[in-house]
């Protein structure tokens, strides 16, 4: 039932209105409309107010404030006035009043105007609801769009390195094809193939991430032997480290006490988490220092920590480090786009895990990722590889 507020100071009109309106509507009265120049102490909600000239003169600021507070929903005010006062209605009055009725009041006219004004309010409420709904839809669409853009950046970011490598090796092969030994040619071709395979795997990952984020699929927790998986990953990094001169190298050490550690995790996401952390640790470390990668597995979780003695991260930068494109002030000329850690964070979140950081500028950093794990069932023991 609609609530109608009666702000009518003229006693006879008030009595009459109360009597007529109470049959169809909930009528509410302010505590006192008489002898009060103060602000109206009224905070009950209403759908329509009926006001007379005396009350309007006294409370016009309050009326304007009520209408403003409800905007863009219409809160109608109906003015009861006398024929002699109508002429005095200025342009100004229509900012507060939506309609008027001339006393002596005709019951049928009153009912008609009240119904029309209540319908206007109802329509504007419906319109506001649809508008809010539209706003939410638009926001979801915008979020999806941003997600797509960030996926595109991710692809560009991770494809560029292997692609540059492929361009470089093919140029080498073309330029020196007559002078390169068969062995060297074979080696370059193998590496080119590995880089191309890396891009292929990455595209799989990106498609998977996109599907997981848009809720189209849950991710597949496959049983993997974490010890074997990490060993192979470390091996890949150690191989690429070997390409550098010996005195310009970082040493990567893997600490793991588990001969085998079966757990169910999303392999491609895990590879991106650890790959990014290891490549950061190596990239931000000076030569002749150690990067220590440690794996600890319990019944319920897997803990991976990557520790380096590199440039460290200034305290002021640590909070925003997982934002896309954010790079700490001390990176100098070390290349990077600032996307790796935001990808890591996304993958950790998708696993329901957490990532923590301890770092001191000029001393080094320790990134620790803790992921909840499900132990594979006995009949589910075909380990995946990195
Ligand atoms: P890329 O997108 O190529 O990975 P990036 O390494 O700059 O570029 P992130 O991996 O997201 O981007 O890392 C964000 C920033 O965090 C880095 O720019 C660097 O300032 C800081 N950072 C990350 N790891 C380390 C680390 N191990 N030691 C020092 N600083 C680090
Ligand atoms: Mg990085």
């Amino acid at each position: 039932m609609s609530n109608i507020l009666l702000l009518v100071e003229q006693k006879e009109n008030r009595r009459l209105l109360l009597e007529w309106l109470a049959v169809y509507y909930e009528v509410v009265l302010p505590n006192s409309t008489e002898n009060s120049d103060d602000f109206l102490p009224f905070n009950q909600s209403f759908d329509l107010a009926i006001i007379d000239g005396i009350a309007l003169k006294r409370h016009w600021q309050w009326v304007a404030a009520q209408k403003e507070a409800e905007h863009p929903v219409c809160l109608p005010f109906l003015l009861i006035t006398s024929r002699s006062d109508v002429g005095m209605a200025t342009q100004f009055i229509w900012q507060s009043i939506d309609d008027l009725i001339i006393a002596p009041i005709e019951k049928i006219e009153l009912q008609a105007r009240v119904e029309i004004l209540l319908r206007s309010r109802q329509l504007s409420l419906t319109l506001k609801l649809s508008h809010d709904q539209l706003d939410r839809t638009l926001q979801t669409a915008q979020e999806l769009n941003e997600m797509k853009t960030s996926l595109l950046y991710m692809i560009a970011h991770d494809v560029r390195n292997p692609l540059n490598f492929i361009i470089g090796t093919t140029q080498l092969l073309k330029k020196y094809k007559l002078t390169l030994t068969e062995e060297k040619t074979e080696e370059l071709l193998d590496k080119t193939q590995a880089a191309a395979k890396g891009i292929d795997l990455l595209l799989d990952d990106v498609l998977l991430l996109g599907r997981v984020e848009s809720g189209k699929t849950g991710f597949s927790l496959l049983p993997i032997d974490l010890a074997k998986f990490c060993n192979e990953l470390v091996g890949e990094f150690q191989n690429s480290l070997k390409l550098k001169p010996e005195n310009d190298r970082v040493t990567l050490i893997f600490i793991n006490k588990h001969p085998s550690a079966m757990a169910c995790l999303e392999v491609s996401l895990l590879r991106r988490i650890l790959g990014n952390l290891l490549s950061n640790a190596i990239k931000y470390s000076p030569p002749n220092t150690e990067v220590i990668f440690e794996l600890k597995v319990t019944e319920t979780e897997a803990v991976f920590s990557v520790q380096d003695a590199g440039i460290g991260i200034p305290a002021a930068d640590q909070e925003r480090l997982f934002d896309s494109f954010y790079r700490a002030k001390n990176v100098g000329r070390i290349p990077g786009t600032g996307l790796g850690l935001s990808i890591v964070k996304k993958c950790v979140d998708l696993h329901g895990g957490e990532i923590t950081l301890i770092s001191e500028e000029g001393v080094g950093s320790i990134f620790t990722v803790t992921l909840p794990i499900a132990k594979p069932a006995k009949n589910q023991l075909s380990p995946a590889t990195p």
Side-chain angles (χ1 to χ4, degrees):
M1 196 191 266
S2 302
N3 283 351
I4 298 183
L5 169 65
L6 273 193
L7 274 178
V8 177
E9 301 203 1
Q10 210 278 328
K11 275 190 187 146
E12 182 49 25
N13 279 346
R14 187 162 75 226
R15 189 195 59 76
L16 209 64
L17 285 167
L18 191 58
E19 189 186 308
W20 287 348
L21 294 170
V23 181
Y24 305 104
Y25 312 102
E26 190 79 47
V27 181
V28 282
L29 291 163
N31 297 347
S32 159
T33 53
E34 282 173 295
N35 309 324
S36 159
D37 282 335
D38 297 338
F39 178 75
L40 202 64
F42 183 81
N43 52 16
Q44 196 177 330
S45 72
F46 57 93
D47 302 299
L48 162 70
I50 300 181
I51 191 166
D52 65 7
I54 314 167
L56 180 62
K57 202 168 170 193
R58 191 178 287 175
H59 300 303
W60 65 270
Q61 278 175 314
W62 178 85
V63 171
Q66 297 302 298
K67 289 182 86 76
E68 175 64 29
E70 288 273 311
H71 185 82
V73 173
C74 154
L75 182 60
F77 277 74
L78 172 62
L79 177 68
I80 306 280
T81 184
S82 65
R83 193 161 291 281
S84 56
D85 283 348
V86 175
M88 287 157 60
T90 59
Q91 196 62 26
F92 169 74
I93 216 170
W94 297 112
Q95 289 173 11
S96 335
I97 294 306
D98 299 272
D99 202 353
L100 57 78
I101 194 163
I102 294 167
I105 309 164
E106 291 276 343
K107 193 175 174 184
I108 187 85
E109 189 188 352
L110 174 77
Q111 258 178 354
R113 288 187 196 264
V114 164
E115 272 308 305
I116 290 168
L117 288 174
L118 284 175
R119 203 173 304 156
S120 310
R121 174 164 173 80
Q122 197 50 49
L123 275 174
S124 71
L125 271 169
T126 315
L127 224 71
K128 170 82 170 35
L129 278 178
S130 328
H131 183 269
D132 289 351
Q133 174 78 35
L134 218 70
D135 251 8
R136 280 194 295 274
T137 315
L138 197 72
Q139 199 180 336
T140 316
Q142 263 165 357
E143 279 166 11
L144 271 174
N145 207 18
E146 276 163 24
M147 194 196 86
K148 271 191 191 159
T149 314
S150 85
L151 275 179
L152 267 179
Y153 278 118
M154 277 164 59
I155 301 171
H157 162 257
D158 283 13
V159 161
R160 195 177 296 127
N161 282 348
L163 207 57
N164 283 341
F165 181 80
I166 293 171
I167 293 168
T169 48
T170 42
Q171 272 168 354
L172 266 179
L173 285 167
K174 213 171 159 191
K175 197 166 171 191
Y176 299 109
K177 60 181 174 232
L178 296 177
T179 48
L180 281 175
T181 61
E182 199 172 321
E183 208 181 5
K184 190 69 195 168
T185 309
E186 195 70 22
E187 185 192 325
L188 284 175
L189 283 172
D190 282 350
K191 282 182 181 161
T192 310
Q193 214 168 23
K197 196 175 160 218
I199 295 178
D200 191 39
L201 284 173
L202 170 79
L203 291 179
D204 280 351
D205 291 357
V206 171
L207 289 176
L208 172 92
L209 262 182
R211 292 208 331 261
V212 171
E213 286 209 351
S214 61
K216 286 208 179 109
T217 176
F219 53 12
S220 45
L221 295 172
L222 284 179
I224 55 169
D225 181 344
L226 282 178
K228 184 165 177 270
F229 179 89
C230 292
N231 250 319
E232 286 176 13
L233 191 67
V234 168
E236 283 175 26
F237 273 93
Q238 282 167 338
N239 281 342
S240 56
L241 280 170
K242 275 187 204 142
L243 297 174
K244 284 192 158 193
E246 206 163 327
N247 59 355
D248 195 21
R249 270 184 215 165
V250 169
T251 310
L252 174 58
I253 299 166
F254 178 42
I255 301 178
N256 163 42
K257 298 195 178 78
H258 314 275
S260 127
M262 294 305 294
C264 286
L265 285 169
E266 170 54 65
V267 190
S268 50
L269 300 189
L270 181 62
R271 183 154 44 80
R272 308 201 71 188
I273 296 173
L274 300 178
N276 272 304
L277 291 183
L278 288 171
S279 77
N280 275 351
I282 293 167
K283 181 164 75 167
Y284 296 108
S285 290
N288 302 315
T289 57
E290 287 178 350
V291 168
I292 300 169
F293 171 38
E294 187 168 2
L295 166 70
K296 284 183 190 151
V297 186
T298 70
E299 274 301 305
T300 52
E301 57 190 27
V303 184
F304 310 86
S305 71
V306 178
Q307 175 173 4
D308 65 62
I311 61 171
I313 299 154
D317 290 315
Q318 291 183 16
E319 201 177 317
R320 298 198 48 204
L321 219 58
F322 297 98
D323 293 356
S324 299
F325 305 110
Y326 192 85
R327 304 197 73 207
K329 303 286 168 289
N330 61 335
V331 290
R333 288 169 163 269
I334 305 173
T337 48
L339 270 172
L341 284 182
S342 68
I343 295 170
V344 169
K345 179 80 171 71
K346 205 166 278 176
C347 297
V348 171
D349 286 349
L350 284 169
H351 266 106
E354 73 167 30
I355 178 161
T356 57
L357 159 70
I358 302 171
S359 184
E360 196 181 331
E361 191 174 1
V363 178
S365 312
I366 310 174
F367 283 86
T368 306
V369 170
T370 307
L371 302 180
I373 53 167
K375 290 278 178 188
K378 288 248 153 45
N379 59 352
Q380 209 193 350
L381 288 175
S382 57
T385 48

